[in-house]
Amino acid sequence: MNKLFSFVILVFLASCAGKAQDSSKEQIKYKITKTTAQWKKELTSQQYYVLRQAGTERPFSSPLNKNNNTGTFVCAACKTPLYASKHKFDSGTGWPSFDRAIKENVILDTDYKIGYARTELKCSICGGHLGHAFNDGPKNTTGKRHCINGAALEFIAKN
């Protein structure tokens, strides 16, 4: 029993030694940077949790999930255009999903927060956490699914 317990502890400690805390990783410099106090003042608590703490909102909780109007989805923190409505699709996951971003406005990063590597999506201007990318999107377009937290977005209707 002690050997099994020791093995489990060893495996747990080894899994915690991932690259998430790798200080040699080059830090990205964003065009918009603010203090924690400034972000907390400008964002709702849910937006702050998602955008600045890389949180995830509950599935099916965002009204943007069912928004099928024509327009642009922008970053809730800095208003950078991120996704065109014509690239939105219903993935059935409970989060707004897109098959592609507006070029150069969304960057890819790697996150190990749940124990394995995932492709994290961030606003290229303020570094806000948007969601994650997966390879199970529409096969007739890009095959990608950008699974985005609605709290990270605001919608601007096309006039």
Side-chain angles (χ1 to χ4, degrees):
M1 184 68 172
N2 278 342
K3 287 182 182 180
L4 177 61
F5 180 74
S6 297
F7 177 75
V8 170
I9 295 297
L10 182 62
V11 169
F12 175 76
L13 291 175
S15 69
C16 292
K19 296 180 181 179
Q21 301 297 322
D22 186 357
S23 61
S24 67
K25 187 175 179 180
E26 185 178 319
Q27 292 295 318
I28 297 171
K29 301 225 186 297
Y30 297 104
K31 291 179 185 174
I32 296 176
T33 57
K34 299 181 181 186
T35 65
T36 297
Q38 288 171 314
W39 284 124
K40 284 185 174 183
K41 184 177 179 183
E42 294 179 19
L43 301 171
T44 67
S45 60
Q46 181 71 356
Q47 288 171 329
Y48 182 81
Y49 170 68
V50 169
L51 287 159
R52 308 316 310 167
Q53 296 180 309
T56 301
E57 68 191 8
R58 289 181 299 109
F60 303 101
S61 64
S62 172
L64 294 181
N65 188 41
K66 295 293 183 185
N67 180 341
N68 296 314
N69 297 322
T70 302
T72 305
F73 294 85
V74 302
C75 177
C78 69
K79 312 311 181 231
T80 297
L82 301 173
Y83 294 96
S85 61
K86 67 182 176 181
H87 299 297
K88 186 174 185 291
F89 67 97
D90 185 0
S91 65
T93 60
W95 291 278
S97 297
F98 304 86
D99 70 352
R100 71 196 81 171
I102 294 173
K103 288 190 188 304
E104 300 180 16
N105 290 355
V106 174
I107 58 173
L108 308 178
D109 199 358
T110 304
D111 110 35
Y112 296 88
K113 292 176 188 81
I114 61 172
Y116 61 90
R118 293 187 300 168
T119 302
E120 180 180 15
L121 300 165
K122 293 181 176 181
C123 174
S124 66
I125 303 302
C126 71
H129 169 80
L130 305 171
H132 292 89
F134 302 95
N135 292 320
D136 60 0
K139 300 293 184 226
N140 62 332
T141 61
T142 65
K144 301 290 183 189
R145 173 173 56 98
H146 288 204
C147 189
I148 307 299
N149 290 283
L153 303 172
E154 289 179 2
F155 180 72
I156 299 174
K158 183 175 181 181
N159 294 332

